[in-house]
Amino acid sequence: GAGVSQSPSNKVTEKGKDVELRCDPISGHTALYWYRQSLGQGLEFLIYFQGNSAPDKSGLPSDRFSAERTGGSVSTLTIQRTQQEDSAVYLCASSSLSEQFFGPGTRLTVL
Amino acid sequence: SQQGEEDPQALSIQEGENATMNCSYKNSINNLQWYRQNSGRGLVHLILIRSNEREKHSGRLRVTLDTSKKSSSLLITASRAADTASYFCATTSMDTGRRALTFGSGTRLQVQP
């Protein structure tokens, strides 16, 4: 596609459930990033994939969070045993050089 | 602690006026970027300025970078109602070598028609 896409656009879940968020980066972009944005705040880095290198997981807030990137393209962010503080917009970005192109985000609400 | 603190947090101006937003950061950077966000969703890249550049223009946007003060400013000239959005600066750190962006908390700009 022409840009980064994410699904679902909105997700409402109950506390304790697992959720999966999907990101389709721009074709050919080797780098993929996940960020989280809480209400009225800036973006917080979560995890970064670059080609076939080991991902940079330094931003993941707890071991309930994990992500994978299959075939160097699509990425899935998984949050296990969701908590109310996980409620946020989860943004994915991809890049080939310095500029990062962002998807529209997934708004996660944990009740 | 987070880099890229912006001020003001909120700015309200009349259409046609200029809007200036400032950003400060802590670590040494490779580059500084400004992004715009509408309605709390996807971000749009506006402009990138490298650490060896002092000023850059793009249309009605003017960005300055002062690495000695670790600060940057974004000027939007002749503002329009459609410029209403949140604006974020973001940096990549030379110290860590990490390519992920570190964002500030943003400036919410309201342009009154």
Side-chain angles (χ1 to χ4, degrees):
Chain A
V4 178
S5 60
Q6 291 185 245
S7 60
S9 57
N10 288 283
K11 176 72 177 178
V12 180
T13 190
E14 293 179 347
K15 178 181 174 181
K17 301 283 189 182
D18 298 352
V19 295
E20 284 190 353
L21 312 179
R22 177 187 167 106
C23 172
D24 283 85
I26 292 173
S27 177
H29 280 189
T30 56
L32 186 147
Y33 308 78
W34 282 98
Y35 297 88
R36 175 170 75 172
Q37 185 178 31
S38 300
L39 186 64
Q41 300 297 312
L43 277 72
E44 171 192 13
F45 164 72
L46 296 177
I47 188 169
Y48 158 52
F49 297 89
Q50 173 63 57
N52 295 321
S53 303
D56 176 355
K57 304 179 182 180
S58 60
L60 294 179
S62 79
D63 59 7
R64 296 187 295 105
F65 287 72
S66 63
E68 61 178 25
R69 187 179 185 192
T70 55
S73 180
V74 172
S75 177
T76 302
L77 176 70
T78 301
I79 308 173
Q80 297 178 310
R81 305 181 301 282
T82 53
Q83 304 294 312
Q84 288 183 331
E85 60 263 29
D86 299 335
S87 296
V89 175
Y90 290 81
L91 290 149
C92 172
S94 70
S95 73
S96 58
L97 295 173
S98 297
E99 181 179 347
Q100 295 185 21
F101 295 84
F102 283 80
T106 294
R107 184 178 300 280
L108 174 66
T109 303
V110 182
L111 301 177
Chain B
S1 60
Q2 187 171 351
Q3 294 192 89
E5 299 301 322
E6 283 132 82
D7 78 272
Q9 291 186 335
L11 179 61
S12 182
I13 59 174
Q14 295 295 316
E15 204 165 28
E17 293 180 337
N18 296 342
T20 300
M21 291 161 268
N22 303 296
C23 166
S24 62
Y25 56 91
K26 292 186 173 67
N27 295 342
S28 297
I29 61 170
N30 292 310
N31 60 63
L32 185 144
Q33 304 179 45
W34 284 90
Y35 285 82
R36 167 196 167 119
Q37 184 179 40
N38 286 27
S39 305
R41 297 306 287 265
L43 277 77
V44 174
H45 182 266
L46 295 176
I47 195 165
L48 180 152
I49 187 165
R50 302 193 185 282
S51 59
N52 61 353
E53 296 177 309
R54 292 296 167 259
E55 188 171 313
K56 202 163 185 178
H57 296 252
S58 176
R60 293 184 297 113
L61 305 180
R62 173 177 167 254
V63 170
T64 63
L65 178 64
D66 187 334
T67 53
S68 67
K69 295 181 180 177
K70 296 189 174 180
S71 67
S72 173
S73 67
L74 171 67
L75 168 67
I76 304 175
T77 60
S79 63
R80 305 167 182 168
D83 294 330
T84 295
S86 290
Y87 292 82
F88 296 90
C89 70
T91 58
T92 55
S93 173
M94 185 181 297
D95 294 340
T96 65
R98 195 175 74 182
R99 290 177 61 185
L101 293 166
T102 301
F103 284 83
S105 54
T107 294
R108 294 184 304 281
L109 174 65
Q110 176 77 39
V111 181
Q112 305 288 349

